[in-house]
């Protein structure tokens, strides 16, 4: 049976949280580990809603904390699938924070998560395909192969000489 093809934009989900005192560090700003938990949760919801199967986090690319998020801010995390490889998929996460009084919103960070879809025997399976339409989606879709090879090399799952998308870096 052919895999279901979904437009990248239709895979998008978003979740919001208000930063409460028990989410903060000693500077009254959002604790990084709490934000990473929310990012992983958004990615998991995106993967599970679209594949309609259990999908687990396989890897997270580097997360940089560009600007602090303050107590009382509203954090919104959006997630969409940029590309499905075989059993794994890349999910782009973007975090914005909004001051509840001024309503001013800033993008505070972004990251790529890789999720793997599992069957009832907990074995990786292929489920869906995604199709990019906008210029931004196409750029992310095309770059996904390069990022995949880089993360597999870093995880010791691919030899640098096999990474045809990264020839200019490694050879
Ligand atoms: C993720 C996991 C299922 C992969 O299992 P595995 O035995 O390595 O399976 P495979 O080697 O067949 O790889 C399956 C897919 O995962 C991808 N993958 C495995 N490790 C990866 C990594 N470090 N980074 C990116 N992708 C990875 C492979 O490239 C492959 O993708 P593809 O089918 O699209 O080519 C397994 O490592 C696992 O269960 N990890 C724990 C997951 C977990 O508990 N997460 C946190 C809680 S949700």
């Amino acid at each position: 049976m052919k895999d279901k093809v979904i437009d990248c934009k239709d895979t998008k989900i978003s979740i919001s949280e208000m930063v409460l005192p028990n989410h903060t560090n000693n500077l009254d700003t959002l604790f990084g580990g709490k934000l990473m938990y929310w990012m992983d949760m958004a990615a998991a919801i995106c993967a599970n809603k679209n594949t309609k199967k259990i999908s687990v986090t396989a890897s997270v690319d580097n997360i940089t904390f560009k600007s602090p998020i303050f107590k009382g801010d509203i954090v919104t995390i959006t997630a969409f699938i940029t590309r499905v490889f075989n059993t794994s998929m890349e999910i782009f996460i973007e975090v914005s924070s909004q001051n509840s009084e001024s309503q001013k919103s800033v993008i505070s960070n972004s990251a790529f998560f890789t999720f793997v879809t599992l069957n009832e025997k907990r074995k990786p399976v292929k489920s869906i395909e995604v199709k990019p339409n906008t210029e931004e989606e196409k750029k992310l879709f095309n770059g996904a192969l390069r990022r995949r090879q880089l993360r597999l090399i870093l995880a010791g799952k691919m030899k640098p000489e096999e990474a045809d998308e990264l020839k200019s870096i490694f050879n």
Side-chain angles (χ1 to χ4, degrees), residues 130-163:
V130 295
K131 184 172 169 293
N133 289 305
T134 66
E135 281 313 306
E136 190 210 352
E137 288 166 2
K138 285 178 188 165
K139 204 169 147 203
L140 286 167
F141 184 90
N142 292 331
L145 277 185
R146 198 175 60 242
R147 290 188 295 275
R148 167 189 158 88
Q149 293 189 347
L150 193 52
R151 64 177 75 98
L152 289 177
I153 290 171
L154 292 174
K157 295 211 152 203
M158 181 181 262
K159 293 189 185 122
E161 56 272 24
E162 292 167 359

Side-chain angles (χ1 to χ4, degrees), residues 1 6 22 38 40 45 49 63 77 89 104 112-113 115 132-133 140 142 144 161:
M1 202 173 72
I6 309 174
N22 63 329
W38 288 338
D40 193 29
I45 292 170
K49 262 186 113 164
I63 301 179
I77 302 169
M89 72 195 83
K104 197 173 161 241
F112 292 99
F113 281 60
F115 269 66
N133 289 305
L140 286 167
N142 292 331
E161 56 272 24

